[in-house]
Amino acid sequence: MVSVRQIHFGDSPQALVQWLDGLGLTHQQQQVLTACYRECEALPCDDAALKEARLMRAREIIEILLPLNMDLDTLKASLLYVMLDAGLLSAETLEETQGTAMSTLVQSVVVMDAIRTLRQQSAPGVSQIENLRKMLLAMVEDVRAVVIKLAEAVVLLREVKKADEETRVVLAREVRDVHAPLANRLGIGQLKWELEDLAFRYLHPDTYMEIAHWLDGKRLDREQYIDEFVSGLQASLDEEGIRAEVYGRPKHIYSIWRKMQKKNLAFDELFDVRAVRIIAERLQDCYGALGVVHTHWRHLPNEFDDYIATPKPNGYQSIHTVVMGPQGKTVEIQIRTREMHEDAELGVAAHWKYKEGTGGKQGGFEEKINWLRKILAWQEDVVEAGNLVEEIRAQVFEDRVYVFTPKGEVVDLPAGSTVLDFAYYIHSQVGHKCIGAKIDGRIVPFTTTVETGQRVEIITAKQPNPKRDWLNPNLGYIKTSRARGKIQSWFKQQDKDKNLVAGRDMLEAELTKVGLSLADTDSAIERFNMHSLDDLLAAIGGGDVRLNQVVNHLQSRLQRETFDEEQALEDLIAKPAHRPRSQGHIEVNGVGNLMTHMAKCCEPLPGDSIYGFITQGRGVSVHRESCDQLATLLERHPERGVEVVWGENYSGGHSVSLRVVANDRSGLLRDITTLLANEKSNVLEMRSHSDTKQQTAAIDLRMELYNMESLSRILSRLSQLPGVIEAKRL
């Protein structure tokens, strides 16, 4: 069930004092928080209602944070963050009045907004990737920031209770997909349950009310039954000298619904509608209590889980068992120590304050955020920054399995991971040197999927020797983006010297044709995010950066075109605004029959989003909107940009360049040409290159195609050919 608001702040001057008294703070803490609150109240604002609404939000966040054992600075930061987010407080004023430490914490909460990126299905941009890195760093440095952000999500869900349905659904989906899984990964059960229940209430209101009605309809009978069961169990534990507290625990509607869906059960068939929790003083008391429970009542073997011996990936520990209680009714029982209970309810919030000291809970905190540290360390080595998003999504949202190393250490991986993923999770060199693997002492293939509870041992050679086949998704060697990134990084490093020489020869030859030299490449180094000329040359030689993109960029920077731009624009604008739709290929600003040509740098196809650029003497060049060369041209000459669209009867073919990278094998070229012939595709040019050392082949095709649909279909079918590693448009 979801929580309800506890705050009812009136206009009385004593309202703040009464509220603070109700929080259970010390006199000194009340004074500090009162001073901060009064400063926020005094901030200038033309909209009094807005300020009061934001103050209300801040008070609710504080009430949510207090049971999580957060300190006074966290409470102040949540208040200041709400004011900063509303635009009522500037970052400069914040640092001047509150100091650098408080300002840093508040700004870290602002950075947490980057978690929205994880919900996007499209590829994130460079700025989004950088924001995610900042978010991870802030979470590792001070986990209080993400706890404030999660508490804010609870309050926002409460606030939209009376909003329109679209507003509620949009927010609920974001919370369900991002905030609740993150709370679960950090082990903060108190926030996780409320986030899930509130989101479920808005997304499935009828189902929510139906389950709530079921729970309420039998509440009195169930509570009486649980009270009698708890009394009997407590007496039995006391007789055995086991120091433990027994009580009934609340059930959450979302968890009930998920279990009904997962096990295809009706409400009356659920085992854990009646639930009891045992909080023991010591670890040995947990197993002693389990013995008492199983002695007095028959347990259901299939419903027993020992998460103390084998913790969940987020560190959760407890013993779960289901017994047939009095009257033949099932009762779920959870058994854990007090410390385990705090971990389950508070997660990282139970440990953050110990991270600077030497308290006994230091290790617990490190375990909770260890996955964040690993992501931060790993992302510095990956080839593609987009892999960072995939890894975070896998770490936070995907189902996990946890397996053991030969030393008994627990490793958690995304469900479906292979033994090779396990090897790369342990260390890059372990993966690179892997020549075999054992599961529970039995030798298995690299493609074997690991399962929870298995013991995995990696057999290594003296020297690293990864295989390119490992990168082939069709062969199933690896699942995780982490392993893929490390393998790609290794091959990049190995091939760098060879690619450097090839890239230098290629670029020098092309630059000579247009009257340029390598001395003119400074702007290209920055444009393609390289650190040095050698990096750029190696990227060209390895195919990561297209040669014509570099040459076109340098030409646009260093060879200015000379023609009357104003006259060209006047000629274009002077044409009649309304003409019959063109029967030609391209229409410029709704006008057909103008001289146009397809840009060679990006080769747009019908169906691509396009944009035009007025050239010297060649009419309008048509680019894909995403074309890098177009962006460079418009940066220098924004006035030459012009909107263009495909004509209604565009039916001409257009040449497109494709590249197929595959494991070199007999019959590969035959299979490709046969596929293209079946597609009735016109091949204009074909070139191939074999790498005997890596046993791969790169085949470049220049084809005549008519629309995006045919291109997508051909690329998809090429990718499905045996041995094909990649098929892409150049």
Side-chain angles (χ1 to χ4, degrees), residues 235-303:
S236 298
L237 294 176
D238 293 341
E239 288 177 8
E240 296 294 332
I242 296 174
R243 293 176 291 176
E245 176 188 357
V246 186
Y247 58 88
R249 66 182 183 88
K251 292 302 300 178
H252 301 279
I253 291 179
Y254 178 74
S255 67
I256 291 174
W257 176 78
R258 281 202 62 184
K259 188 156 292 187
M260 291 171 63
Q261 296 295 311
K262 183 178 180 180
K263 297 189 176 184
N264 196 25
L265 298 174
F267 181 79
D268 291 337
E269 297 175 306
L270 292 177
F271 292 136
D272 56 351
V273 174
R274 291 167 292 274
V276 169
R277 182 171 289 146
I278 301 175
I279 305 299
E281 297 255 338
R282 303 170 303 171
L283 177 61
Q284 53 266 44
D285 289 334
C286 291
Y287 290 97
L290 177 65
V292 171
V293 169
H294 285 182
T295 299
H296 285 73
W297 298 283
R298 181 174 64 85
H299 76 285
L300 306 183
N302 292 336
E303 300 296 327

Side-chain angles (χ1 to χ4, degrees), residues 58-341:
R59 295 195 296 267
E60 286 202 69
I61 293 175
I62 291 172
E63 284 198 350
I64 292 171
L65 294 175
L66 268 176
L68 299 179
N69 293 340
M70 305 309 289
D71 68 341
L72 185 61
D73 282 347
T74 308
L75 306 184
K76 284 183 59 179
S78 60
L79 179 58
L80 295 168
Y81 159 70
V82 172
M83 296 296 106
L84 180 68
D85 184 60
L88 304 179
L89 175 66
S90 68
E92 295 77 13
T93 303
L94 173 65
E95 183 156 6
E96 289 176 6
T97 58
Q98 303 296 331
T100 302
M102 180 58 67
S103 176
T104 300
L105 176 55
V106 174
Q107 293 290 352
S108 296
V109 184
V110 176
V111 171
M112 290 301 113
D113 201 49
I115 60 179
R116 293 170 177 261
T117 303
L118 300 176
R119 191 170 179 264
Q120 299 175 359
Q121 298 301 316
S122 58
V126 175
S127 61
Q128 292 171 317
I129 292 291
E130 185 58 31
N131 288 339
L132 279 173
R133 289 193 172 108
K134 291 178 180 177
M135 180 196 77
L136 291 174
L137 184 60
M139 290 171 70
V140 171
E141 290 298 320
D142 197 336
V143 77
R144 293 177 295 178
V146 71
V147 178
I148 294 174
K149 193 66 179 177
L150 292 174
E152 182 194 31
V154 174
V155 175
L156 292 177
L157 280 175
R158 294 176 181 174
E159 287 181 355
V160 299
K161 181 178 180 180
K162 295 183 179 179
D164 60 273
E165 183 178 0
E166 182 180 357
T167 301
R168 294 198 305 269
V169 168
V170 169
L171 179 61
R173 283 176 178 166
E174 180 177 313
V175 169
R176 178 197 62 188
D177 295 342
V178 177
H179 296 84
L182 186 56
N184 178 62
R185 197 63 174 85
L186 295 172
I188 311 177
Q190 285 190 19
L191 295 183
K192 169 183 177 287
W193 291 121
E194 183 159 11
L195 289 168
E196 289 179 339
D197 272 11
L198 280 167
F200 181 64
R201 182 176 187 173
Y202 297 148
L203 294 173
H204 304 279
D206 293 339
T207 306
Y208 178 93
M209 296 307 297
E210 186 177 12
I211 297 176
H213 178 71
W214 287 338
L215 288 172
D216 189 61
K218 300 181 180 181
R219 180 173 54 85
L220 294 177
D221 291 341
R222 188 170 59 253
E223 288 179 354
Q224 182 180 355
Y225 182 91
I226 289 297
D227 289 343
E228 293 175 357
F229 186 90
V230 166
S231 299
L233 178 55
Q234 184 72 68
S236 298
L237 294 176
D238 293 341
E239 288 177 8
E240 296 294 332
I242 296 174
R243 293 176 291 176
E245 176 188 357
V246 186
Y247 58 88
R249 66 182 183 88
K251 292 302 300 178
H252 301 279
I253 291 179
Y254 178 74
S255 67
I256 291 174
W257 176 78
R258 281 202 62 184
K259 188 156 292 187
M260 291 171 63
Q261 296 295 311
K262 183 178 180 180
K263 297 189 176 184
N264 196 25
L265 298 174
F267 181 79
D268 291 337
E269 297 175 306
L270 292 177
F271 292 136
D272 56 351
V273 174
R274 291 167 292 274
V276 169
R277 182 171 289 146
I278 301 175
I279 305 299
E281 297 255 338
R282 303 170 303 171
L283 177 61
Q284 53 266 44
D285 289 334
C286 291
Y287 290 97
L290 177 65
V292 171
V293 169
H294 285 182
T295 299
H296 285 73
W297 298 283
R298 181 174 64 85
H299 76 285
L300 306 183
N302 292 336
E303 300 296 327
F304 176 80
D305 293 292
D306 187 353
Y307 295 119
I308 292 180
T310 309
K312 288 187 176 182
N314 64 354
Y316 174 85
Q317 289 184 290
S318 186
I319 297 173
H320 292 190
T321 187
V322 176
V323 300
M324 296 296 295
Q327 306 172 30
K329 295 181 179 180
T330 56
V331 181
E332 185 198 50
I333 301 175
Q334 295 180 353
I335 309 172
R336 60 180 71 149
T337 64
R338 177 68 59 185
E339 184 176 355
M340 293 174 189
H341 180 63

Side-chain angles (χ1 to χ4, degrees), residues 278-439:
I278 301 175
I279 305 299
E281 297 255 338
R282 303 170 303 171
L283 177 61
Q284 53 266 44
D285 289 334
C286 291
Y287 290 97
L290 177 65
V292 171
V293 169
H294 285 182
T295 299
H296 285 73
W297 298 283
R298 181 174 64 85
H299 76 285
L300 306 183
N302 292 336
E303 300 296 327
F304 176 80
D305 293 292
D306 187 353
Y307 295 119
I308 292 180
T310 309
K312 288 187 176 182
N314 64 354
Y316 174 85
Q317 289 184 290
S318 186
I319 297 173
H320 292 190
T321 187
V322 176
V323 300
M324 296 296 295
Q327 306 172 30
K329 295 181 179 180
T330 56
V331 181
E332 185 198 50
I333 301 175
Q334 295 180 353
I335 309 172
R336 60 180 71 149
T337 64
R338 177 68 59 185
E339 184 176 355
M340 293 174 189
H341 180 63
E342 290 182 1
D343 284 348
E345 295 298 307
L346 308 181
V348 290
H351 297 290
W352 73 266
K353 67 177 64 176
Y354 298 93
K355 68 176 181 176
E356 299 297 339
T358 58
K361 295 188 179 182
Q362 167 73 6
F365 175 82
E366 294 296 329
E367 290 175 7
K368 292 289 184 188
I369 63 170
N370 191 43
W371 62 282
L372 289 173
R373 297 187 188 279
K374 288 180 179 178
I375 293 176
L376 280 174
W378 165 77
Q379 58 91 10
E380 297 174 358
D381 302 326
V382 298
V383 178
E384 299 179 4
N387 285 342
L388 175 63
V389 182
E390 294 179 21
E391 180 66 10
I392 300 174
R393 285 173 178 157
Q395 288 283 343
V396 178
F397 306 129
E398 290 188 7
D399 291 335
R400 314 289 294 178
V401 295
Y402 41 102
V403 295
F404 295 96
T405 67
K407 294 182 179 180
E409 298 172 350
V410 178
V411 173
D412 67 286
L413 298 163
S417 296
T418 66
V419 292
L420 201 53
D421 287 308
F422 173 88
Y424 275 102
Y425 191 92
I426 297 301
H427 196 277
S428 299
Q429 289 302 314
V430 174
H432 294 337
K433 296 178 181 180
C434 179
I435 58 173
K438 294 181 180 180
I439 291 182

